[in-house]
Amino acid sequence: MEEYLLIIARTIFLYIVILIIFRVMGKREIGELSVLDLVVFIMIAEMAVMAIENPKDKLSHSVLPMFLLMGIQILLAYVSLKNQRIRDVIDGKPSVIINNGKIDENMMKKQRYNFDDLLVQLRDKNVKNVADVEFAILEPSGKLSVFEKKKKEEEETSTEGQQEEEGTLNLPLIMDGIIQEEHLKQMNKTNLWLRQQLRSLGYKDFKNISFCSYDKGVFFIDLKDE
């Protein structure tokens, strides 16, 4: 009887500990968890199970590593928040699978992503035909973001200039003071073009820019906090 009471007490205690740990580590939807997040969560859950299954073992032997993992996760989250390169290593980068209606097979091979995966996720987005997709971006979490082509009726009411802008994927051009060269290439723009545009808007040093995007001829610019 005493052993059962001990198991119940440890279960309740560990439940509270895990709840606190997950709350401290921050809020994220299950579908948006990175590989690192999943590894940490699985390890913490496994430690909790072992602590419950072995009531004779000291509780500190399981709780200490759990809090250590929490500390490591918080530290990595803070470092990745300040450094984009580290963020790319930890979380990965989004990959454009369909660009301007063209499937990038090389990118699919690089991500080990096959056509069955693509069709399944398109159906999940209620997209029946690949031909209806203008852009499809595979997020680091494995989620597919889909942008469908405009309908013919809408295209006929748009001007030629508007169609050119809308046919360009809206991607961040600067993040954490670093120019995103790959995104510029995908938008058929150059580093020189971006610098000239920013200077004309009064931004001489792009390193002071926290985030910059370009959509329909308009820049959105957010400066770093002092």
Side-chain angles (χ1 to χ4, degrees), residues 96-97 102-113:
V96 180
I97 301 298
K102 177 70 174 65
I103 298 174
D104 190 337
E105 296 181 11
N106 291 327
M107 182 59 69
M108 290 179 66
K109 290 178 181 177
K110 184 178 179 180
Q111 299 299 325
R112 292 180 292 280
Y113 188 81

Side-chain angles (χ1 to χ4, degrees), residues 106-223:
N106 291 327
M107 182 59 69
M108 290 179 66
K109 290 178 181 177
K110 184 178 179 180
Q111 299 299 325
R112 292 180 292 280
Y113 188 81
N114 58 51
F115 282 100
D116 288 332
D117 297 327
L118 176 61
L119 294 175
V120 167
Q121 291 196 294
L122 287 178
R123 286 195 294 269
D124 188 55
K125 299 288 184 180
N126 294 322
V127 178
K128 298 178 181 179
N129 194 343
V130 179
D132 296 333
V133 179
E134 183 77 13
F135 296 100
I137 304 172
L138 185 63
E139 307 293 353
S141 63
K143 179 181 177 181
L144 189 70
S145 299
V146 179
F147 301 88
E148 295 186 66
K149 294 179 180 178
K150 293 188 68 175
K151 296 179 180 179
K152 289 183 179 180
E153 294 81 3
E154 295 175 349
E155 289 179 350
E156 290 173 356
T157 59
S158 301
T159 64
E160 184 177 347
Q162 288 176 326
Q163 288 179 0
E164 182 180 353
E165 292 293 346
E166 288 168 358
T168 303
L169 185 60
N170 181 14
L171 295 169
L173 302 182
I174 297 178
M175 289 195 297
D176 295 330
I178 300 174
I179 295 177
Q180 308 298 303
E181 300 288 351
E182 292 182 8
H183 294 172
L184 281 171
K185 289 180 182 179
Q186 292 175 22
M187 296 174 66
N188 296 319
K189 304 293 184 182
T190 64
N191 188 304
L192 178 61
W193 171 85
L194 178 60
R195 290 172 183 269
Q196 290 175 340
Q197 293 295 320
L198 291 177
R199 277 196 288 268
S200 68
L201 293 172
Y203 300 96
K204 296 181 180 180
D205 189 358
F206 66 87
K207 293 182 179 179
N208 294 327
I209 298 175
S210 175
F211 184 89
C212 171
S213 63
Y214 180 75
D215 186 31
K216 298 180 181 178
V218 179
F219 280 94
F220 171 78
I221 298 172
D222 183 70
L223 297 176

